[in-house]
Amino acid sequence: MLPRPLGTTGLSVSALGLGAGRIGGPETTDADVDRLLGRAAEAGVNLVDTARSYGLSEERLGRALAGRRERWVVSTKLGYGVPGVADWTPASVTAGVDGALARLRTDRIDIVHLHSCHRATLERSGVVDALVAAVRAGKVRVAAYSGEGDALAWAVDSGAFGAVQCSVSPVDQGALDGAVAAPRPRGMGVLAKRPLGNAPWRFAERPREPDVAEAWDRFRALALDAAGLAWTELFARFSAFAPGVSAILVGTAGAGHLDEVAAAIGRGALPAEHVASLRNAWRQRGGAWPGRI
């Protein structure tokens, strides 16, 4: 899996990154995470993305990365969850960076995102300045924002960030005409979350979980043409090779799932006419749908 530049940040990332939201719960052990990282590395993955809200994810990654930190690009997300400190304040960002450094057992974090806060928070709270200060202090390499809608648009236009993270998949194409396209001339990197769109094809009936149910509704409404491909392959290849996307983030605790997506990406971009059909389906039936946080 050949590395790609993360915009002009100086970082190179694999087209597939490991989303570490699934490794923070009590059902996962340190041994599980160690094996998962090992298999990911064998597949050429060098990017892992976590967050303060992902349970014990940061702590487990910190232990698993011991002795192999240098081969990984580590990304996290913060702005909240610091005991005794109000969320979405400069102090919460400063303390959040220091806490993440301790949990990840590293002296710097490659990418730190402000995690889905509102535009007003970005504009007036001082959190952007606090994150930029952490970059100047050498604690963070790239300041980034993760989110959707007008906050994402503001982040792209602000000039404060080296990268952004947003939803990109066949059922989440809105950013491809805006937030994903806009960073390219600015030299920004783009990490695509939810690239498999919550895998709505798994369900014969509408799921109960609200985010998965929304994906299921979109999937049925779009009536996409798989052109003979497995849905996982179609979604992975569409998202990974969307213009402007540096890497896709697939959340999993299972090495087999990661291997499946890596193999799909290894087959390259979808044919141009297939991409055009997927884009046309979106424009005709889903163009007004917002990005899913």
Side-chain angles (χ1 to χ4, degrees):
M1 192 176 301
L2 295 176
R4 299 172 170 181
L6 184 69
T8 58
T9 64
L11 294 175
S12 293
V13 295
S14 50
L16 172 60
L18 172 62
R22 303 284 183 88
I23 68 169
E27 69 282 357
T28 303
T29 67
D30 282 8
D32 294 331
V33 177
D34 190 69
R35 284 192 294 271
L36 181 62
L37 285 183
R39 286 283 294 278
E42 290 172 3
V45 175
N46 79 332
L47 170 66
V48 60
D49 178 72
T50 183
R52 183 67 190 100
S53 57
Y54 293 172
L56 296 175
S57 177
E58 288 181 326
E59 289 91 338
R60 288 187 175 132
L61 283 174
R63 291 189 289 271
L65 290 171
R68 50 185 171 184
R69 169 69 181 87
E70 293 304 316
R71 79 160 310 279
W72 286 91
V73 175
V74 177
S75 165
T76 195
K77 301 183 283 293
L78 47 74
Y80 50 85
V82 178
V85 179
D87 292 348
W88 297 114
T89 59
S92 72
V93 172
T94 301
V97 168
D98 289 341
L101 286 167
R103 288 186 292 273
L104 289 164
R105 302 188 181 193
T106 185
D107 61 354
R108 90 283 179 209
I109 304 171
D110 299 300
I111 311 165
V112 172
H113 300 79
L114 298 177
H115 196 185
S116 299
C117 58
H118 297 299
R119 175 172 177 165
T121 301
L122 293 175
E123 290 182 302
R124 296 189 288 274
S125 66
V127 295
V128 174
D129 290 339
L131 182 55
V132 171
V135 174
R136 288 198 300 265
K139 297 178 179 181
V140 175
R141 290 187 63 179
V142 177
Y145 174 74
S146 174
E148 307 290 337
D150 63 343
L152 177 62
W154 185 93
V156 169
D157 290 339
S158 71
F161 302 102
V164 292
Q165 185 175 148
C166 58
S167 294
V168 176
S169 79
V171 297
D172 227 323
Q173 299 184 36
L176 296 180
D177 296 317
V180 172
R184 279 180 281 166
R186 294 173 170 84
M188 297 178 70
V190 175
L191 302 180
K193 63 180 178 176
R194 297 183 187 264
L196 304 184
N198 294 110
W201 56 86
R202 295 174 294 159
F203 305 98
E205 297 181 352
R206 194 174 193 269
R208 293 183 178 181
E209 299 87 346
D211 58 337
V212 185
E214 182 181 20
W216 190 84
D217 290 340
R218 292 186 178 195
F219 182 66
R220 288 173 60 86
L222 289 170
L224 302 172
D225 179 9
L229 298 177
W231 288 114
T232 295
E233 177 175 345
L234 183 149
F235 272 61
R237 292 170 67 185
F238 175 89
S239 304
F241 294 97
V245 169
S246 307
I248 64 172
L249 301 170
V250 173
T252 185
H257 185 41
L258 204 68
D259 287 343
E260 180 185 12
V261 177
I265 293 173
R267 289 188 274 276
L270 295 171
E273 60 273 17
H274 195 182
V275 174
S277 76
L278 299 173
R279 298 289 282 130
N280 287 336
W282 173 267
R283 292 182 180 117
Q284 292 171 12
R285 296 185 282 276
W289 294 335
R292 296 189 301 134
I293 294 176

